[in-house]
Amino acid sequence: MVKLRLRTSRREEAIDVTERVRRAIAESGIREGTCTVFAPHTTCAIAVNEGHDPAVMEDFLNHMRELVPREAGFEHAEGNSDSHIKALLVGPSATVPITAGALTLGQWQSIFMCEFDGPRERSLWVSVTGEGRR
Ligand code: ZN
């Protein structure tokens, strides 16, 4: 397992981590298998979606803000209930197939870490399993 560290710079943002995941796969030597990217946090999430046009993830973040307002009489006293709910909706992980040693994403897909309560230091766990050349 590889641990990726990243620092987010806004309260909400989508950071493309695809290239870092590709490097982790290359270093693993796995040729056929799966790669799981997991966020061990409660207010950020992992998503796979369009990486070609950055407006798609901006629209997503803006829409999530409308869907889950920051103040809505929540019980959780930390003031970040909206962040928890957004992370719950997106989910903590994504699994992508590996074929011929490469991440097998669709043509327009990228892997994003969605920050919902930044800025913070975050870690992602990248687990690569399957058959390799070692
Ligand atoms: Zn909280």
Side-chain angles (χ1 to χ4, degrees):
M1 196 186 69
V2 175
K3 192 172 183 176
L4 304 181
R5 292 178 185 282
L6 53 159
R7 162 155 267 292
T8 61
S9 57
R10 290 186 284 158
R11 186 169 193 266
E12 295 173 351
E13 66 183 309
I15 297 175
D16 190 332
V17 296
T18 312
E19 285 314 310
R20 294 183 69 181
V21 174
R22 280 191 216 283
R23 281 201 294 276
I25 292 168
E27 286 162 16
S28 76
I30 296 292
R31 304 286 300 161
E32 299 291 327
T34 55
C35 173
T36 297
V37 182
F38 179 80
H41 302 287
T42 60
T43 55
C44 72
I46 303 296
V48 175
N49 211 284
E50 172 149 351
H52 184 70
D53 180 2
V56 172
M57 292 307 284
E58 277 308 310
D59 285 345
F60 168 69
L61 293 174
N62 290 335
H63 189 73
M64 285 290 265
R65 214 171 290 129
E66 286 177 28
L67 202 63
V68 187
R70 195 162 176 176
E71 303 294 337
F74 297 119
E75 298 290 330
H76 180 56
E78 270 187 329
N80 64 352
S81 285
D82 65 311
S83 314
H84 288 286
I85 292 167
K86 290 165 189 163
L88 279 161
L89 290 172
V90 178
S93 67
T95 298
V96 180
I98 298 167
T99 306
L103 201 54
T104 315
L105 287 165
Q107 184 180 2
W108 307 112
Q109 287 180 318
S110 291
I111 304 170
F112 293 94
M113 194 215 75
C114 301
E115 176 62 85
F116 293 119
D117 195 22
R120 286 174 187 261
E121 297 285 344
R122 298 294 197 179
S123 301
L124 301 183
W125 295 342
V126 180
S127 171
V128 184
T129 57
E131 295 174 21
R133 58 174 177 249
R134 285 189 288 199

